[in-house]
Coordinates of all heavy atoms in Angstrom, one line a residue:
M248 N -41.5 -28.6 -32.4 CA -40.3 -28.6 -31.6 C -39.6 -29.9 -31.7 O -40.2 -31.0 -31.6 CB -40.6 -28.2 -30.2 CG -39.4 -28.2 -29.3 SD -39.9 -27.7 -27.6 CE -38.3 -27.7 -26.8
W251 N -35.6 -35.3 -28.8 CA -34.5 -36.2 -28.9 C -34.7 -37.3 -27.9 O -34.8 -37.1 -26.7 CB -33.2 -35.4 -28.6 CG -33.0 -34.3 -29.6 CD1 -33.4 -33.0 -29.4 CD2 -32.3 -34.4 -30.8 NE1 -33.0 -32.3 -30.5 CE2 -32.4 -33.1 -31.4 CE3 -31.7 -35.5 -31.5 CZ2 -31.8 -32.9 -32.6 CZ3 -31.2 -35.2 -32.8 CH2 -31.2 -33.9 -33.3
E330 N -1.7 -4.6 -39.2 CA -1.6 -5.6 -38.2 C -1.1 -5.0 -36.9 O -0.1 -4.3 -36.9 CB -0.7 -6.7 -38.6 CG -1.0 -8.0 -37.9 CD -0.2 -9.2 -38.5 OE1 1.0 -9.1 -38.5 OE2 -0.8 -10.1 -39.1
A334 N -1.8 -8.3 -26.7 CA -1.6 -9.4 -25.8 C -2.3 -10.7 -26.3 O -1.9 -11.8 -25.9 CB -2.1 -9.0 -24.4
P343 N -12.0 2.6 -39.4 CA -12.8 3.5 -40.1 C -12.2 4.9 -40.2 O -11.5 5.3 -39.3 CB -14.1 3.5 -39.3 CG -13.7 3.1 -38.0 CD -12.6 2.2 -38.1
A360 N -9.0 11.7 -34.0 CA -7.9 10.9 -33.5 C -8.5 9.9 -32.5 O -9.2 10.2 -31.5 CB -7.0 11.8 -32.7
S371 N 0.2 -2.6 -28.9 CA -0.6 -2.1 -27.8 C 0.3 -1.6 -26.8 O 1.5 -2.0 -26.7 CB -1.5 -3.2 -27.3 OG -0.8 -4.2 -26.6
Q397 N 6.3 -16.9 -31.5 CA 5.3 -17.9 -31.3 C 4.2 -17.4 -30.4 O 3.0 -17.8 -30.6 CB 6.0 -19.2 -30.7 CG 6.9 -19.9 -31.7 CD 6.2 -20.5 -32.9 OE1 5.1 -21.0 -32.7 NE2 6.8 -20.4 -34.0
L429 N 12.3 20.1 -8.3 CA 12.0 19.4 -7.1 C 11.3 20.2 -6.1 O 11.1 19.8 -4.9 CB 13.3 18.8 -6.5 CG 14.1 17.9 -7.3 CD1 15.4 17.5 -6.7 CD2 13.3 16.6 -7.6
V439 N 20.7 6.8 0.6 CA 21.7 7.1 -0.4 C 22.7 6.0 -0.5 O 22.9 5.3 0.5 CB 22.5 8.4 -0.1 CG1 21.5 9.6 -0.1 CG2 23.2 8.3 1.3
H443 N 28.1 0.3 -8.3 CA 29.1 0.2 -9.3 C 28.7 -0.8 -10.4 O 28.2 -1.9 -10.1 CB 30.4 -0.2 -8.7 CG 31.0 0.8 -7.8 ND1 31.9 1.8 -8.2 CD2 30.9 0.9 -6.4 CE1 32.2 2.5 -7.1 NE2 31.6 2.0 -6.0
T445 N 30.0 -2.4 -14.3 CA 31.1 -2.5 -15.3 C 30.6 -2.1 -16.7 O 29.5 -2.5 -17.1 CB 31.7 -3.9 -15.3 OG1 32.2 -4.3 -14.0 CG2 32.8 -4.0 -16.3
G460 N 13.8 8.8 -1.8 CA 13.3 9.5 -0.7 C 11.9 9.1 -0.3 O 11.2 8.4 -1.0
A463 N 6.3 13.4 2.2 CA 5.6 13.7 3.4 C 4.3 12.9 3.5 O 3.8 12.7 4.6 CB 5.2 15.2 3.4
E468 N 10.1 7.4 -3.4 CA 10.2 7.9 -4.7 C 11.7 8.1 -5.1 O 12.5 8.5 -4.2 CB 9.5 9.2 -4.8 CG 9.4 9.8 -6.2 CD 8.5 11.1 -6.2 OE1 7.3 10.9 -6.4 OE2 9.1 12.2 -6.0
S482 N 31.7 14.5 -5.8 CA 30.6 14.0 -6.7 C 29.2 14.1 -6.0 O 28.2 14.6 -6.6 CB 30.8 12.6 -7.1 OG 31.9 12.5 -7.9
R492 N 19.4 23.4 -6.0 CA 19.1 24.5 -7.0 C 17.7 24.2 -7.6 O 17.0 25.2 -8.0 CB 20.2 24.5 -8.1 CG 21.4 25.2 -7.7 CD 22.3 25.5 -8.9 NE 22.7 24.3 -9.6 CZ 23.9 23.6 -9.3 NH1 24.7 24.1 -8.4 NH2 24.2 22.5 -9.9
A512 N 29.6 15.8 2.2 CA 28.9 16.6 1.3 C 27.6 17.1 1.9 O 27.2 18.3 1.7 CB 28.6 15.8 0.0
K547 N 25.0 -12.3 16.6 CA 23.9 -12.3 17.6 C 24.0 -11.2 18.5 O 22.9 -10.5 18.9 CB 23.9 -13.7 18.4 CG 22.7 -13.8 19.3 CD 22.8 -15.2 20.0 CE 21.6 -15.4 20.9 NZ 21.6 -16.7 21.6
E551 N 21.3 -7.7 19.1 CA 20.8 -7.2 20.4 C 20.9 -5.7 20.4 O 20.1 -5.1 21.1 CB 21.6 -7.8 21.5 CG 21.5 -9.3 21.7 CD 20.1 -9.7 22.2 OE1 19.5 -8.9 22.9 OE2 19.6 -10.8 21.9
A564 N 23.4 -2.9 25.3 CA 23.8 -4.1 24.4 C 25.1 -3.7 23.7 O 26.0 -4.6 23.6 CB 22.7 -4.4 23.4
Y572 N 34.1 -8.5 23.3 CA 34.9 -8.6 22.1 C 36.1 -7.6 22.1 O 37.0 -7.7 21.3 CB 34.1 -8.5 20.9 CG 33.2 -9.6 20.7 CD1 31.8 -9.6 21.1 CD2 33.6 -10.8 20.0 CE1 31.0 -10.6 21.0 CE2 32.7 -11.9 19.9 CZ 31.4 -11.8 20.3 OH 30.5 -12.8 20.2
I610 N 17.3 0.6 -1.5 CA 18.2 0.7 -2.7 C 18.8 -0.6 -3.0 O 18.9 -1.0 -4.2 CB 19.4 1.8 -2.4 CG1 18.8 3.2 -2.3 CG2 20.4 1.7 -3.5 CD1 19.8 4.2 -2.0
K639 N 15.5 3.1 -16.0 CA 14.3 2.4 -16.4 C 13.9 1.2 -15.4 O 12.7 1.0 -15.2 CB 14.4 1.9 -17.8 CG 14.5 2.9 -18.8 CD 13.3 3.9 -18.8 CE 12.1 3.2 -19.3 NZ 10.9 4.1 -19.4
N652 N 5.6 2.3 6.8 CA 4.6 2.0 7.8 C 4.1 3.3 8.5 O 4.9 4.2 8.7 CB 5.1 1.1 8.9 CG 5.5 -0.3 8.3 OD1 5.0 -0.7 7.3 ND2 6.4 -1.0 9.0
D680 N 8.9 24.1 20.1 CA 9.0 22.9 19.3 C 10.4 22.7 18.8 O 11.0 23.6 18.2 CB 8.1 23.0 18.1 CG 8.0 21.7 17.2 OD1 8.3 20.7 17.8 OD2 7.7 21.9 16.0

Side-chain angles (χ1 to χ4, degrees):
M248 179 177 179
W251 300 89
E330 203 172 60
S371 71
Q397 291 296 322
L429 299 175
V439 297
H443 295 270
T445 300
E468 186 174 273
S482 296
R492 281 193 298 269
K547 184 177 180 180
E551 293 291 332
Y572 293 92
I610 293 180
K639 293 303 293 186
N652 298 335
D680 185 24

